[in-house]
Structures are given as structure tokens and as C-alpha cells.
Amino acid sequence: MNGRVLRIELRRSVAPWAGVLSFCLALAFLYLVSGPWWKGAALWTSQWTSMALWTRFLLAVLWPLALALGALQGLRDHRSRMSELLTSTPRPARHRAATTAGAMAITVTSAFALVVLLGAAQVVGAAEYTHLGWLPISLVALLALVAGALLGMGIGRNLPSPLTPPALAVAAFVFVNLLRMSTESAVPSPMWASSRVTLLSPAVDEVRDVFLTLSAPVHLGQTVWLLGMAVTGFALLAAATPRARLLALAPVLAGAVIALLVLPADPRRVYVVDEAAAAQVCDGPVCVAAVHQDRLAGLAGPGKEALRLMRDALGGEAPTSVRESTARRGIFDAPERSRRAVLVDFGDGVLGDVRGEQLTRALLGQGMAPNCSARSANESGTVGELAAQGVVAGWVLGDLRPFPGAIHTPADQLATAGPVFKELKALPWSGQIARVKAAHTAAVSCSGDPLDILDGGTAR
């Protein structure tokens, strides 16, 4: 590839605009839209894997854009009416194709790499847990953008119509997002659960769990598929005869077949737990996952105090440790349960966004009346469950207060918990102890409504 020609191509083709538009669109999504990448424990700037997956999530928009801009670049010879002139020159068509494709590949990969570097610069200052497991996620994303741009160029050159770029953009957007919505890491859609076809999407679903990452078969299968797509795009761009155009389709078809053989059929093997990230780092009886080891110092003091208070209140039935929950769970699955540990989920606003005495209160509530209902990882249970936790925590600490950070307002929490707290405090001490222990037993075993028991009901 001639360097001088490449520089001219970079100055006078669509390629620079492709890079600029991709970069600006990515930044607009990440910084101007208040999306889930700024909420919960899986922020795009908090952990390496989260950063890689969130930037890969952007391919739901960036990949169709790369395809459309590639098609616009592929129309250039037809728009300038130079097709016959270029075919009459002695320079091989593949040389001209390499220059054009190289310019486009450089700009789209540079734009995406800048977005990744921007995220990496922020993660370096925020995360203590460092690893290289995120690199395959971002490298496959770069390959996807190059393959999309090349395929768009090849299609645009062979279907030289002004409608080709917008038609490709719409078709690619629908294709990517239909497949992406079927590959949710937590609960795959039953219609697509056993289909490897959904994994052909270059984009991924929203990041909900910092302990999950894409498995090696997914990386390998998607790489084969995207390489086939890139080769087909380049071959279409350089094809000069109908036979060459037909043969150009072979790589993408072969890549799809091989990819479908390599990609996992079991949805539970698409996203796997990163064992190193989920490994426990402890300070006495208080433990967090390695990926959140920077939060151990803030959790250790309140955690030990909560364990002491629960031991005084519940005796031998009290939990003996505090640890971060790392179990894999679907969106509507019930939370992980343990009789001997207070389980912490930093994605829960009640536990993840508080410090000091408020954290001690939240740990008391979660340890003495853990949630039973199925809920999203970033929710805090029903208002009844929150009220029960507020009552038992207030009973131990001497005053009733709402939990900040919950999806239910403080007024709702106090309205539900207030009458129960007053009735409980009005009982003789032995009656208070009996109700609190009964509520704890019911909550741990999910055999009754803790709030109802605290209010004088019985476990079923």
C-alpha cells in the first residue's frame, strides 16, 4: 500500500468523516444520555470488563453506521463516473481496494480505540483490580467495525444506488438489535435460548453483573464470522466480474457456518463468571469480591458492628459473616440466600450507596430480615420487605429510619413500618425478642411475611 496514496485517500474520502462521526456518536451516548452505564455497580468507568462491555454495547449503533458509511464510500467510483476508466488501467483492482479499505479501517478503528482509551484512563484511577481479560472483548469490537465498513464498501460498489447506504443502515440496525435483545446475559429469551444465530451480533446486551464476561468460544466464533465478513467485503470491493462477485460470498458464508459450530448452544455458556474477579478478599469476617476490593475498607467497620449487634439480638441464630454475593442470577430470580452470612450486593442502592452508620443499619436489616422476592439486581425488594428491615434495624438501634437509596420513598417506608414499629416496642421485652426471632426465621427460610409476623401474625 503506497503511503502517499493512503494519505491522499485519508484527506479526500469519506474515511475521516466516518471516524469523526463514530467518535462523536459514541461520546454523545456515553456522556449526554443518562443511561444504565452511569448507574449501579457496573459503571462503564468503574471496572475493566464493564468498560469493555459497555463500549461494545455501543456497536448496536456504531456498527450500522460503519456499514452505511462504508457503502457511501463504495459509491464513489460510480458517482464520479470513473468505473470504466479505472478498469482500463494496469494497476490491479485489489491495490486500489486495499488503499480505500485501509483508509476506512484506520479511521473507524482509531475512533473506537479513542473511546476505549478514554474509558481506560478513568478506570485506571477508579479500580484496584486490574486484568487483561477485557482485551478480547474490545478487539472483537474493533474487528466488527472494520468488517462492517468493508462489507458496506463492497455492497456499495456493487449496488451503486443512493438508497444503498440508508437501506443498509436500517437493515443492520434492525439485525443487530433484534439479535442483541435475544442475548441477555441474565435471562435469554426462550425463543432464541438454544440458537447460536443470536451470537452473530457484534453488539452485546446491557451490563448488569460485574462478575460476568464473555466466554472464549464466543470470542473465537465471533472472530471467525467477522473475519469472513471482512474478506467478503474486500473481495466484493475488488471484484471485476460476476464470477468474482459470486465467489466473494464464500468467505462470509464459510465464516458463518464455522462460527455456528464454535459458538455455544447453551445460553449459560455465553456469559461465564470471572473466577478471579469473584474471588473473596476479606478483613476478618467481612469479605468482598476482588473486583470491589477498594470497598472493603468502608465495609469492614460497619460490617463487624452489624455482626456484633445481631449476635446480641439473635444469639446463636445470628449470621457470622458479611460477604459480597457473587452468585449468577437472572433478572427475575430470587436473591442468593444464606443462613450464616449477610449477603451484600453493591448494585442495590440501599447497600451500595451508603456509608458509616447508615451502612450498619442497612446490613442489620439485610441480615435480620433478608429479602425473599424475585427482583432486579439493582432494586431493594418490596415496600413490605424494606419496612420489615427498617423495623428490625430500628429495634436494634433504638429508632426507626428509612433506607436512603431504595426505590421506595422514605414516606412510603415510614408509613408501612411506623405502626408495626410502635406495636413491637409496646410489647414486653420477651415478646419483642420472640417476634424479632420469628421474623428472622421466616425471612431466612422464605416461609412467611416478616412484616406480618412483627405485626403479630404467624409464619405459615
Side-chain angles (χ1 to χ4, degrees):
M1 186 187 300
N2 187 291
R4 185 175 64 85
V5 175
L6 178 61
R7 288 193 296 272
I8 294 173
E9 192 76 26
L10 286 171
R11 289 199 307 268
R12 298 182 179 179
S13 69
V14 175
W17 291 107
V20 171
L21 284 175
S22 298
F23 183 69
C24 292
L25 184 60
L27 291 188
F29 263 86
L30 291 172
Y31 286 99
L32 300 181
V33 178
S34 180
W37 43 87
W38 286 116
K39 303 171 184 177
L43 305 180
W44 86 283
T45 57
S46 62
Q47 304 296 340
W48 290 102
T49 301
S50 300
M51 181 273 296
L53 287 172
W54 276 124
T55 51
R56 177 83 176 266
F57 171 81
L58 295 178
L59 263 61
V61 175
L62 296 183
W63 193 76
L65 178 65
L67 198 69
L69 291 172
L72 184 62
Q73 175 70 12
L75 295 177
R76 183 177 61 175
D77 291 351
H78 177 76
R79 292 198 313 268
S80 60
R81 300 179 182 179
M82 294 178 57
S83 300
E84 292 184 6
L85 175 63
L86 291 174
T87 54
S88 66
T89 61
R91 188 184 182 194
R94 64 179 180 275
H95 289 183
R96 296 193 303 273
T99 303
T100 306
M104 182 67 74
I106 288 172
T107 56
V108 296
T109 56
S110 297
F112 188 79
L114 284 175
V115 176
V116 173
L117 288 174
L118 181 62
Q122 297 176 82
V123 173
V124 165
E128 293 185 10
Y129 175 68
T130 303
H131 62 103
L132 296 177
W134 62 274
L135 275 177
I137 301 172
S138 295
L139 291 176
V140 172
L142 288 170
L143 178 59
L145 289 172
V146 173
L150 292 180
L151 183 63
M153 293 170 68
I155 294 175
R157 186 177 185 276
N158 289 276
L159 296 175
S161 166
L163 298 178
T164 298
L168 277 180
V170 172
F173 184 81
V174 172
F175 169 78
V176 169
N177 285 280
L178 280 179
L179 295 188
R180 181 185 60 80
M181 289 187 293
S182 303
T183 56
E184 294 181 351
S185 60
V187 181
S189 169
M191 182 191 309
W192 296 87
S194 60
S195 176
R196 297 178 175 93
V197 176
T198 59
L199 299 177
L200 297 180
S201 170
V204 297
D205 194 56
E206 295 180 8
V207 185
R208 299 187 180 92
D209 193 333
V210 295
F211 305 114
L212 295 183
T213 187
L214 289 169
S215 64
V218 174
H219 294 316
L220 180 59
Q222 290 180 339
T223 298
V224 171
W225 152 246
L226 293 170
L227 283 174
M229 184 188 299
V231 173
T232 288
F234 183 80
L236 286 173
L237 187 61
T241 65
R243 183 172 180 270
R245 296 185 185 97
L246 186 61
L247 290 176
L249 301 177
V252 71
L253 295 176
V257 171
I258 297 173
L260 292 175
L261 294 175
V262 173
L263 293 167
D266 183 0
R268 293 288 174 175
R269 292 180 55 215
V270 175
Y271 287 84
V272 295
V273 175
D274 184 341
E275 299 295 340
Q280 297 290 302
V281 179
C282 300
D283 181 351
V286 181
C287 302
V288 297
V291 74
H292 288 143
Q293 58 187 321
D294 57 309
R295 306 193 67 158
L296 180 58
L299 180 65
K304 293 174 183 177
E305 176 65 11
L307 290 175
R308 182 188 68 79
L309 293 171
M310 283 186 284
R311 186 168 56 249
D312 293 342
L314 300 175
E317 300 177 18
T320 57
S321 65
V322 175
R323 67 175 175 85
E324 183 175 2
S325 175
T326 59
R328 181 173 180 172
R329 181 163 62 87
I331 299 176
F332 299 108
D333 292 346
E336 181 186 0
R337 311 205 58 73
S338 174
R339 290 181 177 271
R340 306 311 298 169
V342 182
L343 299 177
V344 175
D345 179 358
F346 289 119
D348 184 340
V350 171
L351 289 167
D353 299 332
V354 293
R355 300 290 185 272
E357 190 274 335
Q358 289 183 334
L359 180 55
T360 301
R361 183 180 294 271
L363 291 171
L364 277 172
Q366 182 63 22
M368 297 182 70
N371 294 322
C372 282
S373 64
R375 58 184 176 85
S376 171
N378 62 353
E379 294 181 357
S380 312
T382 66
V383 66
E385 288 174 329
L386 271 177
Q389 291 182 356
V391 169
V392 293
W395 178 78
V396 172
L397 296 174
D399 61 335
L400 177 64
R401 295 183 188 176
F403 294 112
I407 61 171
H408 302 288
T409 65
D412 289 340
Q413 296 179 51
L414 292 176
T416 305
V420 179
F421 182 73
K422 290 179 180 179
E423 180 177 336
L424 179 65
K425 295 293 286 184
L427 293 174
W429 180 250
S430 59
Q432 296 180 37
I433 289 286
R435 284 196 186 182
V436 169
K437 288 187 175 182
H440 171 72
T441 301
V444 169
S445 61
C446 285
S447 59
D449 183 352
L451 186 65
D452 184 53
I453 295 172
L454 291 168
D455 199 25
T458 57
R460 60 176 187 269

